[in-house]
Amino acid sequence: MAKYDDNGFIAELDKNEIFVFGSNGQGAHFGGAAATAIHKFGAKMGQAEGLQGQSYAINTMDSEDEMFEQIDRFLMFAKNHPELKFLVTEIGCGIAGYSPEQVAPHFKNHSENVVLPDAFIQILK
């Protein structure tokens, strides 16, 4: 089970856990959860979408449509990989400027191996 730091951020992952974070179209992982992904969980500079190490990037910066398409691709990927547990951060709700109310509904059909942040869970209830 993932370990969290004193601020509530993911600090360590088990072998089967994947850190899901918001990226930009260039895969420049310099800030927020993207920086955590590159420093702790194997994200690759220059890769804007998909599995990389123990992380999975979703581009939240280029357009709303692109972000929602990538969320759909992620959810299909997660469904096809039940052996993995995906820990989703509040993607799009930091630097990208979206609210949880805008993003959370796109995760409503997530599979059991996708763990959503509390803000998303509250909205989906």
Side-chain angles (χ1 to χ4, degrees):
M1 185 168 169
K3 292 183 176 74
Y4 294 79
D5 66 18
D6 293 337
N7 297 313
F9 297 111
I10 296 170
E12 287 182 43
L13 297 170
D14 282 347
K15 286 184 180 184
N16 70 323
E17 293 177 325
I18 306 296
F19 182 81
V20 182
F21 68 99
S23 179
N24 60 47
Q26 295 76 39
H29 309 311
F30 293 118
T36 300
I38 202 156
H39 293 297
K40 292 187 176 186
F41 305 125
K44 296 179 179 138
M45 197 62 77
Q47 184 175 339
E49 180 185 5
L51 187 65
Q52 39 195 297
Q54 269 190 282
S55 61
Y56 189 104
I58 296 173
N59 179 0
T60 61
M61 297 294 289
D62 286 352
S63 76
E64 193 173 282
D65 289 341
E66 180 65 23
M67 177 175 62
F68 296 147
E69 288 171 14
Q70 288 195 21
I71 289 170
D72 289 344
R73 287 195 291 268
F74 160 69
L75 292 173
M76 183 58 66
F77 182 87
K79 184 177 179 181
N80 289 329
H81 291 88
E83 74 281 6
L84 299 174
K85 183 176 182 181
F86 297 89
L87 306 174
V88 179
T89 63
E90 287 186 27
I91 68 156
C93 300
I95 297 167
Y98 297 98
S99 69
E101 290 80 12
Q102 290 172 291
V103 179
H106 295 275
F107 285 93
K108 68 181 175 199
N109 295 319
H110 68 283
S111 54
E112 290 182 17
N113 62 333
V114 174
V115 179
L116 298 178
D118 288 341
F120 289 9
I121 293 169
Q122 294 305 314
I123 291 161
L124 293 175
K125 282 185 177 181

